[in-house]
Amino acid sequence: MKILFVCLGNICRSPLAEAIAKDFAKQNNYKIEVDSCGTGSWHIGEAPCLDSQKIAKIKGLDISNYKARQVQKEDFKKFDLIVGLDSKNIASLKNLGCQNPLLIGDFGYEGQDVPDPYFFDGFEGFDKVFEMIETCVKNLLKEKIEK
């Protein structure tokens, strides 16, 4: 199974989702491939934002070597699951031709969007975003992989 997590710039939420999924998969011996990307092109080649790196490190994950990339139409053929972090990401994915993107909030937060912490004032709130992503990623993997 190949899973792609998608947010806006691929520097805050989707790298966290990727790292959480890889770690959870390793702990549970899931044989999956995980990647992340953004719908926008502003941050291509950049490392995740410092606050995402900080919360990841606090939680025992290292995303410092990740590099942002933009979603490509080829991704829709390569990946089994395309998972958007909010409804705007889902709309963008559909506009690009993705047939059945999943909303991460449907896996633990009753369809809520995971807010984009890039626009937060400072570090506060990154822990809540991490918690939302972690809960939803684990539920997604349990539902889609364990069956």
Side-chain angles (χ1 to χ4, degrees):
M1 167 114 12
K2 296 179 181 180
I3 304 170
L4 181 65
F5 293 99
V6 184
C7 68
L8 185 60
N10 194 213
I11 60 165
C12 296
R13 297 170 292 170
S14 56
L16 290 173
E18 178 184 350
I20 291 165
K22 285 178 176 176
D23 185 61
F24 190 70
K26 183 178 178 183
Q27 291 174 20
N28 291 280
N29 295 314
Y30 294 157
K31 303 293 184 236
I32 62 172
E33 181 180 319
V34 183
D35 197 3
S36 65
C37 63
T39 58
S41 62
W42 312 278
H43 301 290
I44 292 173
E46 293 180 20
C49 75
L50 294 178
D51 286 331
S52 283
Q53 290 186 49
K54 180 179 176 181
I55 192 64
K57 188 171 186 176
I58 289 169
K59 301 293 186 173
L61 303 171
D62 182 6
I63 61 172
S64 62
N65 290 322
Y66 288 21
K67 298 293 180 214
R69 72 176 188 87
Q70 188 175 18
V71 68
Q72 304 294 317
K73 288 187 179 188
E74 300 82 49
D75 290 326
F76 306 149
K77 294 175 187 165
K78 178 180 178 186
F79 290 91
D80 302 299
L81 300 176
I82 310 287
V83 185
L85 276 286
D86 66 33
S87 54
K88 289 181 182 176
N89 304 141
I90 296 294
S92 294
L93 288 164
K94 286 180 178 178
N95 285 338
L96 290 169
C98 183
Q99 296 297 316
N100 296 304
L102 302 173
L103 178 64
I104 198 165
D106 285 338
F107 296 90
Y109 276 84
E110 299 175 353
Q112 289 183 43
D113 288 345
V114 174
D116 191 342
Y118 186 76
F119 301 105
F120 289 0
D121 186 21
F123 184 72
E124 189 174 326
F126 273 80
D127 54 344
K128 177 62 175 169
V129 167
F130 186 95
E131 177 185 307
M132 289 180 79
I133 294 170
E134 182 177 44
T135 296
C136 293
V137 164
K138 288 179 177 180
N139 288 339
L140 169 78
L141 293 182
K142 286 177 187 175
E143 181 178 319
K144 299 296 183 181
I145 307 298
E146 289 186 344
K147 288 188 175 181

